[in-house]
Amino acid sequence: MTIIDNAVYVDGRRAAHPENLEQTFETLEAIGGSMAWIGLYRPSQDEMAQVAHEFNLHDLAVEDAIHAHQRPKMERYDEMLFTVLRPARYVDETETVEFGELHVFTGPNYVVTIRHAETAGVGLVRKRLEAEPDLLRCGPEAVLYALLDRVVDDYKPVVAGLENDIDEIEDQLFANDPTVSRRIYELAREVLQFQRAIHPLRPLVQGLERGFDKYEVDVELRRRLRDVHDHVEQLISRADGFREILQNALVLDGTLTTNRQNEAAAEQNEQVKRISSWAAIFFAPSLVAGIYGMNFKNMPELEWPVGYPWALGLMVVAGFVLWLIFKRKKWL
């Protein structure tokens, strides 16, 4: 069954718990001033068609609710308001952010919530409102406010998790961690998805505020929605700050990587200098020995009494001169 919870409320209190949609519609018609709240989880087309027919839901909104994968938005069709929210939660085990999708249909006397992900958020909101009948008495607008408030509150642990990940990245940058570049890219992608979830909330809340007077929204509900608006602005500001920090971290990572490569190249160059210097030093005696080791018949030095010590001395002097030259050039 895709019906998670199904209730009819009167004066802010649960008056009936219908077993199916038909009973819900019958109860709603029988009790004046009542409000139905139907919670669905990935409903089929037939189930959505039944709800859409009873509450006269717009075809475009129904199609969006069935196929999901919608961006956060709010659309009004006459007396019906269709709202899409993107709940999120931070998963500590994988250090990632998981996003869900919640569709809310609100009308004069009904609320239909449709979930497309496993989450207990809607159930917790229902319990909260049932414990506050004065708030639930405000009708479908109160349910929409409470759902929006819950989604925004659930963003706070996500922000804390992302902030902790960014702090770890800063440590990795200066620890020469070779995996830091990949993690920066992955975290930047999550921050971008988070921004896509929260940025549309600003015009969404502003749209609700513009309808305060027209739809005679309760004063207390107006105050609470303004509080949600303040939280949304804070979240947007922090998320935008995360994006800027990650961009700077990516630039810094590139700079540090280049510096490490330059240092490695410089060290390699020093090693080449040392090897070349010693090769030249050892080549000088080999050159002298090679010359005097030639077996030509007419070589005046072959019968020279001091030829042997002369050759040895020439080897030593040539090697020492080369060593001195390379030492002054700081190649050794």
Side-chain angles (χ1 to χ4, degrees):
M1 292 294 292
T2 60
I3 300 177
I4 304 301
D5 203 345
N6 183 13
V8 176
Y9 298 88
V10 178
D11 197 28
R13 300 184 184 278
R14 186 185 288 242
H17 191 174
E19 296 180 358
N20 51 55
L21 295 179
E22 290 81 1
Q23 291 185 9
T24 305
F25 304 144
E26 293 173 359
T27 306
L28 193 61
E29 293 179 358
I31 304 177
S34 58
M35 179 192 73
W37 184 354
I38 304 171
L40 304 176
Y41 175 70
R42 293 181 178 175
S44 64
Q45 291 188 359
D46 292 339
E47 290 168 330
M48 275 305 303
Q50 187 178 4
V51 175
H53 175 74
E54 182 64 29
F55 295 129
N56 195 28
L57 304 181
H58 197 278
D59 294 342
L60 293 177
V62 171
E63 182 180 355
D64 288 345
I66 293 175
H67 294 96
H69 303 295
Q70 302 295 314
R71 62 177 178 82
K73 62 181 179 179
M74 182 183 68
E75 297 175 343
R76 182 172 291 280
Y77 301 90
D78 297 326
E79 293 184 337
M80 185 207 79
L81 191 65
F82 176 58
T83 308
V84 179
L85 301 174
R86 294 298 305 273
R89 72 184 187 98
Y90 184 82
V91 183
D92 291 321
E93 293 77 10
T94 58
E95 295 185 335
T96 57
V97 181
E98 290 185 355
F99 294 91
E101 191 166 342
L102 175 64
H103 298 175
V104 186
F105 291 91
T106 51
N109 62 344
Y110 66 86
V111 177
V112 180
T113 54
I114 301 173
R115 294 184 306 169
H116 288 277
E118 294 288 347
T119 174
V122 178
L124 295 175
V125 170
R126 189 186 289 265
K127 290 181 180 179
R128 171 197 168 186
L129 289 176
E130 289 180 349
E132 299 183 59
D134 290 339
L135 180 59
L136 187 55
R137 192 177 293 118
C138 296
E141 293 87 356
V143 178
L144 180 58
Y145 148 74
L147 291 170
L148 181 60
D149 183 53
R150 178 71 192 190
V151 170
V152 173
D153 284 345
D154 287 344
Y155 284 155
K156 295 177 183 178
V158 175
V159 169
L162 291 174
E163 189 172 28
N164 182 68
D165 289 344
I166 290 175
D167 291 341
E168 292 178 356
I169 281 178
E170 291 176 349
D171 295 336
Q172 286 180 284
L173 279 172
F174 296 101
N176 297 333
D177 191 331
T179 65
V180 67
S181 298
R182 182 183 181 87
R183 192 175 184 193
I184 292 175
Y185 276 113
E186 292 174 347
L187 189 56
R189 185 173 63 249
E190 290 184 348
V191 170
L192 179 60
Q193 291 176 339
F194 186 58
Q195 285 181 306
R196 290 173 178 172
I198 64 175
H199 270 275
L201 294 183
R202 176 185 286 158
L204 190 152
V205 175
Q206 291 173 343
L208 291 174
E209 290 177 339
R210 286 193 296 268
F212 281 167
D213 295 330
K214 181 178 180 180
Y215 297 98
E216 300 178 353
V217 178
D218 183 79
V219 174
E220 180 61 25
L221 200 55
R222 298 185 185 194
R223 293 170 182 164
R224 297 194 180 207
L225 191 60
R226 290 193 183 99
D227 183 63
V228 173
H229 192 175
D230 291 340
H231 292 166
V232 168
E233 293 296 338
Q234 293 173 8
L235 289 170
I236 290 176
S237 177
R238 295 187 69 180
D240 291 347
F242 291 161
R243 184 76 180 277
E244 184 176 352
I245 290 173
L246 289 173
Q247 289 176 343
N248 293 337
L250 195 58
V251 173
L252 177 59
D253 178 57
T255 302
L256 293 175
T257 301
T258 301
N259 290 341
R260 287 194 293 268
Q261 291 175 345
N262 292 338
E263 291 174 359
E267 178 64 23
Q268 184 178 14
N269 189 37
E270 290 297 322
Q271 294 294 337
V272 171
K273 288 180 180 179
R274 292 188 182 95
I275 294 172
S276 301
S277 300
W278 285 112
I281 291 172
F282 285 113
F283 174 73
S286 300
L287 177 63
V288 174
I291 292 174
Y292 286 101
M294 292 184 293
N295 295 319
F296 292 110
K297 185 175 182 179
N298 298 318
M299 288 185 67
E301 294 87 352
L302 292 179
E303 297 180 358
W304 194 14
V306 294
Y308 178 70
W310 166 257
L312 293 179
L314 189 58
M315 294 179 187
V316 172
V317 171
F320 177 76
V321 171
L322 289 174
W323 179 85
L324 191 61
I325 293 174
F326 293 137
K327 193 69 174 179
R328 288 183 177 180
K329 289 181 174 291
K330 298 181 178 181
W331 284 25
L332 293 174

